[in-house]
Amino acid sequence: SLSKQIGYRPSVAMGACMSAKAIAAQKELYALRELQSAQRNAHEEMSKVKTQHAERVMQLQAEHQLEVRDMHGRIAKMIESTSDENRKIQEAHMDEMRQMHDRHTKEVRRIQEDHHNHMQQELLRHVEEVRKMQVEYRNQLKGLGVDMRYLNSTSRGWCGMPTTALPKDMAMGNGHNDKAIAP
């Protein structure tokens, strides 16, 4: 039965008996062949697994690269859309600021023109009031009989008083004019 397991058929020339050493050697040879065959099968199996693993890794890497490219594309689109939105917001803000500045400038000009017109009217009204007061003052002086030419020709100091002092006799009113003329 062992002969059948190791695939040994005793030859007729050799005889029916085999030595124990020969059988042990044949068993070892058979075991080595089996081991070699098992190693070959294991090596082939390992090569197939390695190849499948390498193919799977390459496939996964390719898928990951595609996903990464896709993600980069999406990120770039998001950045572009965000920057476009920010640019549009900034442009809208600048337009609004420009419009506000224009409105403010127009309002300031209008206020300045209104103020100028108001001040001009006030000045004209004051000038007219001063003229009326001058006419009224002159009329009062005429009513009192004061000669305007005399008042205009003398130089006046504070409060309309002449700067030269009147002689004592004239100021006292005794009526002698010859003392009033002094060298």
Side-chain angles (χ1 to χ4, degrees):
S1 81
L2 182 62
S3 310
K4 287 182 183 175
Q5 284 180 356
I6 58 172
Y8 175 72
R9 293 174 131 192
S11 66
V12 179
M14 219 170 148
C17 77
M18 266 177 91
S19 72
K21 285 186 180 182
I23 292 178
Q26 283 184 353
K27 283 182 183 180
E28 278 185 45
L29 186 61
Y30 177 77
L32 284 175
R33 284 184 191 150
E34 286 293 316
L35 183 63
Q36 213 175 24
S37 173
Q39 283 180 342
R40 198 175 311 123
N41 288 341
H43 182 65
E44 288 174 4
E45 187 73 25
M46 183 66 87
S47 295
K48 286 180 187 178
V49 169
K50 282 183 179 179
T51 304
Q52 288 175 352
H53 179 70
E55 288 173 358
R56 181 68 181 148
V57 167
M58 286 175 42
Q59 182 183 5
L60 287 175
Q61 284 178 342
E63 289 174 3
H64 285 236
Q65 286 176 351
L66 286 175
E67 288 179 17
V68 167
R69 276 192 226 126
D70 184 44
M71 292 294 280
H72 281 295
R74 281 194 254 159
I75 290 170
K77 286 179 184 177
M78 287 174 57
I79 290 171
E80 183 179 340
S81 67
T82 304
S83 60
D84 284 346
E85 288 175 16
N86 286 341
R87 183 180 46 80
K88 288 177 183 177
I89 289 170
Q90 286 177 348
E91 287 175 357
H93 180 70
M94 289 304 294
D95 288 342
E96 184 179 342
M97 292 297 290
R98 197 174 302 117
Q99 290 172 359
M100 286 176 59
H101 182 264
D102 290 344
R103 283 194 307 264
H104 177 72
T105 303
K106 288 177 183 176
E107 184 69 19
V108 167
R109 281 188 195 137
R110 186 189 62 76
I111 290 171
Q112 286 175 342
E113 288 172 3
D114 289 349
H115 181 72
H116 177 72
N117 291 336
H118 180 71
M119 288 292 114
Q120 190 176 15
Q121 290 172 358
E122 279 288 314
L123 179 63
L124 290 174
R125 190 170 54 83
H126 284 291
V127 167
E128 191 61 35
E129 285 179 14
V130 168
R131 283 185 187 154
K132 285 179 184 177
M133 290 173 73
Q134 285 176 343
V135 167
E136 185 181 325
Y137 178 68
R138 285 183 188 135
N139 288 338
Q140 286 177 357
L141 288 178
K142 282 181 186 177
L144 293 174
V146 176
D147 187 10
M148 292 298 294
R149 289 176 294 197
Y150 174 74
L151 286 175
N152 286 334
S153 67
T154 61
S155 63
R156 290 187 229 160
W158 292 94
C159 299
M161 296 298 291
T163 56
T164 58
L166 293 175
K168 184 177 180 182
D169 293 336
M170 275 185 83
M172 298 304 263
N174 62 8
H176 298 301
N177 285 337
D178 46 298
K179 287 185 182 177
I181 302 172

